[in-house]
Structure formats: structure tokens, C-alpha cells
């Protein structure tokens, strides 16, 4: 997602200095005109606006707070597109503010293809004036920018969507397991679901991936799906809200990761539910919703 968003920013003629924990993932945007920094501190030095896309909270503690914050000058705007818990979002925002850095929560919904096209949905959290101050960047990242409330609201809404995604993909996988176990043709079953009124853009997208049995490169890695479901469960527990369906889906994705498919697309859960993992030829993932 980060590389795709960076490519889109370049397409819109925004000067860009990039850094990635995995240098190879920055190669395409560097070839397109971005300048590669050797460290995250070098990447943000002198920047007016910094855009961050990190996998999880431990990565934010390491990259953002330990390695980057000392190089951020007071007055910098930090647009954070990472999916983290609302609790952490509020904490990191306060810690950055203590150094004169204004963090805008900008959770994004979509997949890498949509990120590359600037077609994400952006859920912005924080004071409205802060969101408006970086509106020009947000409008490049997404075709829709929604200011959803105070800091933490964007993270909450993003987890709601990913909670729904995890439950839907897991339910589809279990439907396939039942139908195939009863003798239905797998491709026919998946096509029927994708073309039915029970489907959605996301369900149809994941059904197509399951038909192709091509789970890499991932549009949404299974390990991140599991991480987001765990975040939703933790936050809900703090509110006294029970999420048994989400807990079951989280268990499925934890098992996917334990079996070594954490980097595969979330749709790979179907192979673990059916117990008939027989990967087909590697083909590009279809374009569509995350």
C-alpha cells in the first residue's frame, strides 16, 4: 500500500523522498522519480508533510517514534495511513504533539491497485482544521475523504470495515468447505456466490482469488488481517462489547499464520478451512476492492 500511494503522489507531481524497511519495495517509485533516503530520519529531514504507512504498532514505535521523531522539525504535518488501534492512535498523536508535530489520522480503505490510482477512501480523524490543512494530500490519496470525528475515530471505523472483511472471507471459506465436501464443484460454487445477491464487491473479489488459487502478491496479507481482528477484539473488550464472530475469524487467521501463509492474501484462508491446499499457477491478483 505504501509503495502504491507513493507512486500516486509522484503521478500528481508532488516531490517525494522515500524510505522503506524493505528497500526493494521502494525500487519502483525510485525508478519513477522519487529520491531514496538511507534512513527514515533522512527521509523526513526538512519535510513540510510526511506520509506514513507502517504495518503495525511495534513498527510505529521503532520507525516513527525511535528513528524518525528526532529528525522531525516542529511544525511538520504527519499524515498517518497505518491501521492501528484507536488507543495507540491517540497516544502516538499526543506524543508527536509534544514535539510540535501534528499527526492527522488518515486510515485508508482499499487495495494496492486503488492506492496506485488515487481511488482509496480516507477516514480522517482529528480536529477538522488539521484535516483541512493537509486536504491537498488527502485528496490525492483518495477519491473520498471523510472526516469521521476526533483522533481514534478513523482507526475505529477502519477496524469496523476490517472486522466485516474478516468475517465475510471466513464465512465464504467455510461455505466453500461445506459445499465442496457435499460434492459441489468448487468453481461453480464460487461463481454462484460471486454473482448472487448475497455477494458484494469485496466478496466477488475474494471469490475470484479463491477460484484462481493465486494468493501472492497479496492485496491484503493474512497476517495483517489477523492483526486487525485482534485489535478490534481488544478495543471492543475494553468497551465491554462481545464479538464472538470476530473472535472465530481471528482464530482462523491466526492458524493461517501459524501454518506459514501469513504473507498470502486473506483469501488463502479457504485452503486452510478446506484442508485441500493445492496452489495453482501464479497469476496476477484481479483488480477490485480490498
Amino acid at each position: 500500500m505504501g509503495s502504491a500511494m507513493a507512486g500516486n503522489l509522484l503521478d500528481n507531481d508532488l516531490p517525494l523522498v522515500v524510505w522503506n524497511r524493505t528497500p526493494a519495495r521502494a525500487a519502483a517509485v525510485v525508478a519513477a522519480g522519487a529520491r531514496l533516503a538511507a534512513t527514515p530520519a533522512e527521509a523526513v529531514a526538512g519535510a513540510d508533510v510526511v506520509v506514513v504507512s507502517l504495518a503495525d504498532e511495534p513498527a510505529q514505535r521503532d520507525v516513527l517514534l525511535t528513528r524518525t521523531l528526532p529528525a522531525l522539525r516542529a511544525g511538520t504535518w504527519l499524515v498517518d495511513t497505518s491501521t492501528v488501534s484507536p488507543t495507540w492512535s491517540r497516544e502516538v498523536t499526543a506524543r508527536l504533539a509534544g514535539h510540535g508535530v501534528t499527526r492527522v489520522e488518515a486510515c485508508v480503505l482499499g487495495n494496492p491497485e486503488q492506492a496506485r490510482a488515487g481511488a482509496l477512501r480516507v477516514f480522517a480523524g482529528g480536529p477538522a482544521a488539521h484535516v483541512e490543512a493537509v486536504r491537498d494530500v488527502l485528496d490525492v490519496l483518495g477519491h473520498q475523504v471523510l472526516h469521521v470525528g476526533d483522533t481514534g475515530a478513523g482507526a475505529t471505523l477502519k477496524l469496523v470495515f476490517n472486522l466485516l472483511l474478516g468475517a465475510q472471507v471466513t464465512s465464504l471459506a467455510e461455505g466453500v468447505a461445506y459445499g465442496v465436501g457435499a460434492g459441489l464443484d468448487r468453481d461453480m460454487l464460487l461463481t454462484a456466490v460471486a454473482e448472487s445477491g448475497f455477494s458484494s464487491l469485496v466478496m466477488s473479489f475474494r471469490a475470484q482469488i479463491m477460484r484462481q488459487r493465486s494468493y501472492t502478491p497479496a492485496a491484503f496479507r493474512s497476517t495483517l488481517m489477523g492483526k486487525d481482528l485482534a485489535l478490534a477484539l481488544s478495543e471492543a473488550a475494553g468497551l465491554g462489547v462481545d464479538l464472538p464472530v470476530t473472535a472465530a475469524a481471528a482464530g482462523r487467521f491466526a492458524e493461517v499464520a501459524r501454518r506459514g501463509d501469513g504473507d498470502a492474501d486473506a483469501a488463502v484462508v479457504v485452503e486452510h478451512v478446506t484442508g485441500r491446499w493445492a496452489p495453482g499457477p501464479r497469476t496476477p491478483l484481479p483488480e477490485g476492492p480490498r
Side-chain angles (χ1 to χ4, degrees), residues 24-287:
R25 293 180 180 172
V29 289
V30 171
R35 180 167 69 84
L36 180 65
T39 65
E42 180 188 332
V44 305
D48 294 319
V49 178
V50 174
V51 180
V52 176
S53 177
L54 290 164
D56 51 29
E57 292 167 21
Q60 289 219 328
R61 288 188 177 91
D62 173 34
V63 176
L64 182 54
L65 296 183
T66 302
R67 303 169 67 183
T68 304
L69 182 55
L72 289 170
R73 60 178 178 79
T76 301
W77 293 89
L78 189 136
V79 176
D80 195 347
T81 69
S82 312
T83 300
V84 296
S85 70
T87 298
W88 172 254
S89 183
R90 289 186 285 266
E91 178 182 339
V92 73
T93 298
R95 291 180 66 173
L96 290 169
H99 292 265
V101 176
T102 304
R103 175 181 177 270
V104 177
E105 186 179 63
C107 298
V108 293
L109 190 69
N111 63 32
E113 292 291 338
Q114 291 168 317
R116 189 66 181 80
L120 298 169
R121 297 179 70 197
V122 182
F123 303 142
H130 293 177
V131 175
E132 288 306 312
V134 293
R135 170 70 70 162
D136 55 342
V137 174
L138 299 181
D139 283 340
V140 170
L141 294 176
H143 72 94
Q144 181 185 51
V145 177
L146 297 176
H147 179 219
V148 298
D150 294 334
T151 301
T156 299
L157 185 55
K158 178 63 185 294
L159 290 180
V160 167
F161 274 95
N162 283 0
L163 174 160
L164 293 171
L165 173 60
Q168 286 183 56
V169 174
T170 303
S171 294
L172 178 58
E174 292 186 354
V176 171
Y178 166 58
V180 171
L184 295 180
D185 177 78
R186 174 179 164 133
D187 284 353
M188 179 277 294
L189 188 162
L190 284 165
T191 300
V193 170
E195 295 179 353
S196 74
F198 288 86
S199 188
S200 63
L201 292 174
V202 168
M203 187 79 80
S204 177
F205 178 56
R206 283 297 165 342
Q208 187 177 350
I209 295 174
M210 290 177 183
R211 284 200 304 271
Q212 293 177 344
R213 279 192 165 100
S214 180
Y215 303 106
T216 57
F220 189 17
R221 285 188 285 149
S222 294
T223 187
L224 296 182
M225 182 77 264
K227 178 264 294 185
D228 290 350
L229 294 176
L231 289 178
L233 289 169
S234 177
E235 291 290 317
L239 298 170
V241 177
D242 187 27
L243 304 177
V245 174
T246 301
R252 289 289 194 188
F253 283 101
E255 183 63 21
V256 168
R258 282 194 295 269
R259 292 182 179 180
D261 269 342
D263 287 335
D265 188 81
V268 79
V269 68
V270 69
E271 309 297 347
H272 295 269
V273 172
T274 60
R276 300 176 182 180
W277 183 204
R282 182 186 173 106
T283 56
L285 288 176
E287 295 184 15

